[in-house]
Amino acid sequence: MSHLWHLRHDDQSLVLAATGGGLPRAIYWGPALSGDDSEEMMLAADRLDYTGGMMDGIPDLSICPEARRSFPGQPGMVLRAGDGTPLAPRLVHVSDARDGDVIRLTYGDADLGLTYVATFRLHATSGVIEASAGLHSEVPIRVEWLAAPVLPAPQLSDEMIDFSGRWIGEFQPCHRTWGAGIRMRESRTGRSGHEHFPGLIVPVRGATNTQGQVYAFHYGWSGGHRMIAEELPDGRRQIQFGHAAGSELEAGTSFQTAPLLISFSKRGMNGCATVFQRHFRDNIIRFPDPARARPVHYNCWEAVYFDHDVSELQQIATLAADLGAERFVLDDGWFGRRDDDLRALGDWTVDPRKYPDGLDPLINHIHGLGMRFGIWFEPEMVNPDSDLYRAHPEWALGDADQLLGRQQMVLNMALPAVRDYLYDHIAAMLSQYQIDYIKWDHNRLLPMPDAAQTRGVYELLDRLRADFPHVEIESCASGGGRIDAGILSRTHRVWLSDSNDAQERLRIQHDAALFLPACITGSHVGPRECHTSGRVLDIRFRAWVAAQRHMGFEMDPRELTPEEAGVLRDVTGWWKANRDWMMQADILRLDSADPAVIAEQQLAGDGARFVVFAGIATTSAQISQRPLRLTGLQADARYRVDLRNRDDAGPASRGEPALKAGPLELSGQFLMNHGLILPNSFPQRIWVIEGMRL
């Protein structure tokens, strides 16, 4: 007896097969199959041989490898009975059902009273395949590890790319060579984390940004995860994702993984990147008003920090509006007795010392300027020096003598009383004042991983979203510490990094584009002297790097010279004129022949226009410019390309490359296979090239 299931999209096919009533395995994942292949022949063609010194057969690398079936690698689940006795399930087919592009497979172990359900869903609009697993028990059990459906990794791959990082240094790609054994990465900080973004890219040999076969994974969970990339002793390779091991602290009868999003591309890493970008933008994010243009954002944090004065904030708001800002966000320092980061977290009432008439005078002024108003919260945290902690020390997660972070503790979000308290105070602010935006921050790690904490955060966000559907929410966690599909199904924007250093942002944004679309990725023009690096950068560089994503400002506009203000108005005006198509565009990373150049091409959905941002991050290793090849164009079409900021050419450019002199008209074939010669430039500059199909 055999079963076979096939999910097919224009760009990829996933074929699952099972024999003898056992769990299925992926016998094919790659370019879309036409449907001409016989199911029986595909199953037969996937059968492995074996030799001496082995078992008398090859244990299946199934969607949930089982330890008791002699599987030689990491199992897909590790369970214990309520008394701690290890459980080794033997799962057999119970039922399967298909509803369009959704497949639901049910397997059980009657002796142990366990039911395992794997669900696969193809999202036809984006091409992403979503896989998840659930486990149900007749009696309470303990789950130490439960993987989302396990998939094989390609044999013709020499490396895998995952992501490390830190505060103000997120999304750093790590290239790991495949070899015998395990690459295990685990985020145990209680959030998806700066350190371990829950994603993985597996390129087939020879793949680049723009060409070759690539497989990609993203685990949509905000509470810490484990990734296993294992090469078995027999040479097969498996990829597992699940919640951080041991983060289910209580015995229970029902457990569920987060969705594992997967994609295959035959167009290089950009193929997977654009699938994820589209999926996040069109299937995960739910904007309060999807038709409304993304507003130019102003955040006052790096202008005033905790020093709030209404008249000064009104003055700053007036200048920000004159520069083009359309939303003003009041950051940390408006509540309790919050004069620094040592006190008052949890005391979510307006500070009458700073705002004797409440927030209305500031909000009315901001609305009078034509801007919307947003506000900062850090709901999940509490300072020991706060009225809340003094009233409810038992609400803090972990031991009383724990190591603090930023002089704060984490509230136990699994407690209904905590969620009710937070809901009541946030809802009171949203009801009293005209607030349409929340910057939701998360500035310390959990004392231990706890999946119930994440579920509590989700419940609070869901409740607020239901009752205040007009409010947009930004996910911030000391910058990019909580970015994943789980939190983004409840929020609308991410603060990618606390670094407003444009040179660092250029790289961070470039690598984050492997997953994230522009419309949700906040990017701000920071102060002339960056507050996290001390680097002094030209306003042109700072402004154009911010214009690559959802543009905003985060500096004291009073520091700008008239020339700097003019540059910022010009770039902001350009962004506004182009945002409608750019916020829906595909971000394509370009394969730059010069490692000093970090370049991307944003291509409109209809392919009729594009913009290239070519940042010069460091000094080039050679004198002459290497052509920058474009991608994704129609080979037989002609395009008009023009250098938007040619006036930024400085003394490093002494010649007359064609782009410096004026626009060019070239075929897509030429642009993709020869490329464009950019003017010479000093480092920490950026070129902006606009293209239009003729």
Side-chain angles (χ1 to χ4, degrees):
M1 180 180 64
S2 64
H3 299 270
L4 191 142
W5 304 270
H6 185 178
L7 286 173
R8 182 189 297 109
H9 187 261
D10 292 344
D11 294 322
Q12 66 175 330
S13 282
L14 175 65
V15 181
L16 304 170
T19 57
L23 284 163
R25 68 184 189 276
I27 64 168
Y28 180 90
W29 181 24
L33 297 172
S34 65
D36 295 336
D37 294 289
S38 158
E39 296 182 357
E40 291 76 12
M41 286 293 121
M42 284 194 290
L43 188 57
D46 186 61
R47 188 179 304 121
L48 295 172
D49 197 2
Y50 59 94
T51 187
M54 299 177 64
M55 302 294 291
D56 295 335
I58 308 292
D60 280 347
L61 199 173
S62 73
I63 60 172
C64 186
E66 297 165 278
R68 71 179 296 166
R69 295 184 187 263
S70 303
F71 183 71
Q74 299 300 301
M77 63 174 70
V78 178
L79 312 177
R80 292 184 180 274
D83 63 2
T85 303
L87 301 177
R90 182 182 177 89
L91 298 172
V92 297
H93 181 264
V94 175
S95 66
D96 59 90
R98 179 159 192 161
D99 182 6
D101 288 332
V102 179
I103 297 170
R104 183 180 175 88
L105 309 176
T106 303
Y107 287 75
D109 185 324
D111 293 337
L112 294 178
L114 297 176
T115 301
Y116 170 86
V117 180
T119 304
F120 295 82
R121 178 184 179 187
L122 170 65
H123 292 266
T125 54
S126 66
V128 158
I129 294 175
E130 175 185 319
S132 63
L135 185 65
H136 310 281
S137 175
E138 295 174 1
V139 298
I141 59 170
R142 295 185 177 274
V143 172
E144 296 182 11
W145 170 244
L146 176 62
V150 177
L151 293 162
Q155 293 291 303
L156 196 62
S157 173
D158 299 317
E159 67 170 4
M160 66 190 85
I161 305 170
D162 57 12
F163 299 85
S164 65
R166 59 177 175 81
W167 177 68
I168 67 172
E170 292 86 344
F171 280 94
Q172 298 180 29
C174 299
H175 295 254
R176 313 286 183 177
T177 302
W178 279 102
I182 298 174
R183 160 68 172 159
M184 187 185 81
R185 184 195 65 209
E186 189 159 31
S187 172
R188 300 192 62 79
T189 62
R191 59 189 187 188
S192 36
H194 299 79
E195 305 82 3
H196 305 290
F197 173 74
L200 176 70
I201 296 173
V202 184
V204 174
R205 188 176 300 159
T208 68
N209 285 318
T210 60
Q211 61 187 4
Q213 295 188 349
V214 176
Y215 297 78
F217 306 76
H218 170 70
Y219 189 63
W221 174 247
S222 310
H225 73 281
R226 170 181 281 185
M227 180 206 80
I228 293 171
E230 182 178 22
E231 185 170 297
L232 304 176
D234 55 37
R236 291 177 296 167
R237 295 166 171 175
Q238 67 163 333
I239 304 294
Q240 296 189 11
F241 274 93
H243 294 6
S247 60
E248 295 289 358
L249 304 184
E250 302 293 333
T253 58
S254 183
F255 301 88
Q256 183 70 39
T257 73
L260 176 63
L261 307 180
I262 64 171
S263 176
F264 165 81
S265 164
K266 58 183 179 183
R267 302 186 306 278
M269 287 190 283
N270 283 339
C272 289
T274 56
V275 164
F276 281 124
Q277 291 166 23
R278 295 169 188 172
H279 188 71
F280 275 101
R281 185 188 66 220
D282 301 334
N283 297 103
I284 300 293
I285 304 292
R286 292 166 291 154
F287 289 110
D289 182 1
R292 193 178 83 194
R294 304 297 286 141
V296 177
H297 191 97
Y298 178 79
N299 185 289
C300 71
W301 176 241
E302 292 194 12
V304 299
Y305 292 100
F306 297 102
D307 188 14
H308 288 210
D309 176 84
V310 173
S311 62
E312 188 174 72
L313 288 167
Q314 289 173 335
Q315 179 189 12
I316 289 171
T318 300
L319 294 172
D322 178 65
L323 292 167
E326 298 164 307
R327 176 163 65 204
F328 183 101
V329 177
L330 185 66
D331 212 289
D332 194 357
W334 58 267
F335 57 92
R337 298 184 67 83
R338 183 74 164 173
D339 297 328
D340 50 38
D341 62 0
L342 306 180
R343 70 198 82 247
L345 276 180
D347 300 340
W348 300 113
T349 55
V350 176
D351 184 350
R353 300 171 305 151
K354 298 176 183 178
Y355 298 94
D357 299 314
L359 295 181
D360 282 326
L362 177 61
I363 295 175
N364 292 339
H365 180 80
I366 287 165
H367 286 165
L369 294 167
M371 291 194 292
R372 295 173 179 268
F373 179 77
I375 198 166
W376 181 95
F377 283 96
E378 192 173 2
E380 299 155 69
M381 304 295 162
V382 64
N383 290 123
D385 184 3
S386 68
D387 293 341
L388 176 61
Y389 185 80
R390 284 184 282 271
H392 291 287
E394 75 279 7
W395 284 2
L397 188 68
D399 299 329
D401 61 349
Q402 66 185 263
L403 184 66
L404 299 182
R406 208 187 184 209
Q407 291 298 309
Q408 62 194 53
M409 304 169 80
V410 183
L411 289 171
N412 187 347
M413 300 296 293
L415 298 177
V418 170
R419 298 196 300 271
D420 288 344
Y421 170 88
L422 294 172
Y423 174 86
D424 290 344
H425 283 73
I426 297 171
M429 290 293 296
L430 297 179
S431 299
Q432 181 177 356
Y433 296 109
Q434 293 185 53
I435 296 169
D436 77 342
Y437 187 88
I438 291 174
K439 179 181 177 182
W440 186 295
D441 215 340
H442 184 292
N443 279 310
R444 74 148 283 173
L445 311 180
L446 269 62
M448 78 285 285
D450 183 354
Q453 182 78 6
T454 303
R455 289 190 286 269
V457 174
Y458 286 174
E459 192 276 342
L460 176 59
L461 282 166
D462 290 343
R463 186 178 175 189
L464 287 166
R465 285 285 307 278
D467 292 348
F468 300 93
H470 68 285
V471 176
E472 186 173 324
I473 303 175
E474 173 185 303
S475 174
C476 176
S478 300
R482 185 159 66 183
I483 298 175
D484 57 81
I487 202 70
L488 281 169
S489 67
R490 296 163 171 87
T491 57
H492 312 92
R493 189 179 194 255
V494 297
W495 184 227
L496 190 59
S497 177
D498 276 348
S499 174
N500 281 318
D501 183 310
Q503 181 170 350
E504 295 174 351
R505 272 281 181 152
L506 180 69
R507 198 278 310 158
I508 296 171
Q509 290 174 180
H510 184 72
D511 292 322
L514 288 166
F515 296 90
L516 303 180
C519 63
I520 67 168
T521 305
S523 187
H524 297 173
V525 182
R528 184 183 302 116
E529 180 179 353
C530 178
H531 291 185
T532 55
S533 70
R535 191 178 283 124
V536 176
L537 295 169
D538 185 86
I539 186 63
R540 294 162 183 82
F541 187 48
R542 286 182 280 148
W544 282 116
V545 169
Q548 290 182 283
R549 300 294 184 267
H550 182 200
M551 189 177 187
F553 320 142
E554 189 167 347
M555 95 295 268
D556 190 337
R558 296 171 295 184
E559 79 169 18
L560 296 172
T561 66
E563 180 190 8
E564 289 174 326
V567 169
L568 187 50
R569 284 192 200 95
D570 175 60
V571 176
T572 304
W574 177 90
W575 188 84
K576 287 182 176 181
N578 288 277
R579 62 182 163 188
D580 285 347
W581 72 266
M582 284 176 57
M583 295 298 98
Q584 298 294 316
D586 290 335
I587 304 172
L588 306 173
R589 295 167 20 125
L590 296 180
D591 291 324
S592 174
D594 184 349
V597 176
I598 298 176
E600 70 179 33
Q601 176 184 330
Q602 297 190 15
L603 182 64
D606 62 3
R609 63 192 306 178
F610 62 84
V611 61
V612 172
F613 296 94
I616 295 85
T618 60
T619 302
S620 181
Q622 78 282 328
I623 296 174
S624 296
Q625 299 296 97
R626 293 175 175 172
L628 180 65
R629 292 185 177 195
L630 307 190
T631 190
L633 304 180
Q634 186 178 330
D636 59 356
R638 294 184 63 78
Y639 295 83
R640 185 180 189 270
V641 292
D642 198 10
L643 190 59
R644 169 61 172 76
N645 59 335
R646 65 170 48 86
D647 292 342
D648 293 349
S653 175
R654 301 185 180 185
E656 288 297 328
L659 266 180
K660 185 178 173 183
L664 303 173
E665 292 185 9
L666 295 164
S667 70
Q669 191 79 285
F670 185 92
L671 291 168
M672 292 189 292
N673 292 284
H674 177 276
L676 295 169
I677 303 291
L678 305 175
N680 277 309
S681 174
F682 292 135
Q684 300 170 358
R685 301 291 191 272
I686 191 168
W687 294 117
V688 182
I689 301 119
E690 295 181 285
M692 186 74 68
R693 189 171 61 205
L694 299 175

